[in-house]
């Protein structure tokens, strides 16, 4: 199993029947494919759809049916489309149960930076600020490192998305829960040991034995 599939599968276990869930651009969109169609979990994209199926069926791709990143999607029976005002009303009104977002950095306090690298061309923050602020629960789905450098750090050096603490971080190595005391290591991926995770993490993790294994 590749690392992105592992992350998406673990995140999917956090979603329950009746949830309204936003999936961010990139890795988070894979989560929808890990949930059975009959699970009654409703995926929302901020460009204006509830009832998204993240992967378009082969041959049914359409230029006017995409996720927020412009990738082709399918719409499940009973889905609804609407304008951006309605879509952001759902987000800012606190109606999202969960948002799953990618990350560039998360610090020891659980603050997320995921929208820009200074000096790089970016179109704007998009819905990231609204999603972190408005969703009832925020899950960060990301790889543990980038080019060998930790993405989980003592303090974010990239521009913050929000001052709010996220609720859960899922990487290919571990599951961590930000708390007022720091990042609590909740689970280790199959075959991964505590020392290996700590060695590629830029801040001290809080760990108490025994540490559970990811149920994937």
């Amino acid at each position: 199993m590749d690392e992105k599939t592992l992350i998406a599968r673990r995140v999917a276990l956090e979603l329950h029947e009746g949830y309204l869930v936003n999936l961010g651009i990139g890795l988070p969109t894979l989560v929808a494919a890990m949930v059975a169609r009959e699970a009654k979990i409703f995926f929302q994209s901020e460009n204006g759809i509830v009832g998204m199926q993240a992967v378009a069926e082969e041959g049914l791709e359409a230029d006017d049916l995409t996720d927020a990143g412009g990738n082709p999607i399918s719409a499940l029976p009973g889905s609804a489309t609407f304008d951006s005002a309605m879509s952001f009303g759902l987000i800012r009104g606190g109606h999202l149960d969960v948002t799953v977002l990618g990350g560039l950095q998360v610090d020891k306090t659980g603050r997320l930076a995921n929208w820009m690298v200074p000096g790089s061309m970016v179109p704007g923050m998009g819905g990231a600020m609204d999603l972190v602020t408005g969703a009832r629960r925020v899950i960060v789905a990301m790889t543990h490192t980038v080019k060998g450098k930790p993405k989980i750090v003592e303090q974010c050096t990239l521009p913050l998305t929000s001052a709010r603490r996220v609720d859960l971080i899922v990487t290919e190595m571990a599951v961590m829960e930000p708390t007022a005391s720091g990042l609590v290591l909740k689970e280790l991926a199959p075959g991964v040991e505590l020392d290996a995770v700590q060695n590629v993490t830029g801040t001290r993790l809080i760990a108490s034995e025994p540490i559970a294994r990811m149920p994937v």
Side-chain angles (χ1 to χ4, degrees):
M1 184 189 313
D2 66 79
E3 59 187 27
K4 291 184 178 180
T5 300
L6 176 68
I7 295 168
R9 281 191 177 183
R10 178 59 188 86
V11 171
L13 296 177
E14 298 293 316
L15 309 182
H16 304 291
E17 183 175 334
Y19 273 16
L20 180 60
V21 180
N22 175 279
L23 300 177
I25 296 170
L27 192 162
T29 62
L30 301 178
V31 174
M34 307 300 164
V35 174
R37 290 181 62 161
E38 63 272 16
K40 295 182 181 178
I41 296 168
F42 304 97
F43 291 105
Q44 184 252 11
S45 179
E46 62 262 35
N47 60 330
I49 184 171
V50 168
M52 174 181 71
Q53 183 179 0
V55 180
E57 296 179 26
E58 187 174 355
L60 296 180
E61 301 88 348
D63 292 338
D64 58 354
L65 191 58
T66 68
D67 63 20
N71 301 303
I73 58 172
S74 292
L76 296 174
S79 62
T81 59
F82 32 78
D83 62 15
S84 290
M86 176 65 179
S87 189
F88 277 86
L90 290 174
I91 296 168
R92 294 170 182 168
H95 302 290
L96 285 178
D97 293 290
V98 177
T99 184
V100 183
L101 299 171
L104 298 173
Q105 290 179 333
V106 182
D107 68 19
K108 69 175 183 179
T109 67
R111 295 183 304 173
L112 170 68
N114 80 335
W115 72 281
M116 75 169 296
V117 176
S120 300
M121 178 67 73
V122 292
M125 182 171 280
M129 179 186 292
D130 299 275
L131 288 162
V132 176
T133 303
R136 294 172 188 159
R137 194 158 187 251
V138 179
I139 300 173
V140 178
M142 66 180 189
T143 56
H144 209 92
T145 63
V146 58
K147 298 180 180 179
K149 294 183 179 180
K151 296 173 72 174
I152 300 168
V153 296
E154 186 77 7
Q155 184 174 351
C156 289
T157 57
L158 298 174
L160 292 177
T161 304
S162 172
R164 172 185 170 176
R165 180 192 302 156
V166 303
D167 297 284
L168 200 69
I169 306 163
V170 180
T171 76
E172 78 281 11
M173 300 187 77
V175 177
M176 291 144 286
E177 180 183 359
T179 71
S181 301
L183 297 179
V184 177
L185 181 62
K186 305 292 288 185
E187 298 173 9
L188 290 167
V192 176
E193 300 304 327
L194 173 58
D195 287 348
V197 176
Q198 187 61 75
N199 288 340
V200 291
T201 303
T203 189
R204 179 60 53 183
L205 297 172
I206 301 169
S208 299
E209 297 286 356
I211 302 170
R213 290 289 174 180
M214 283 190 196
V216 292

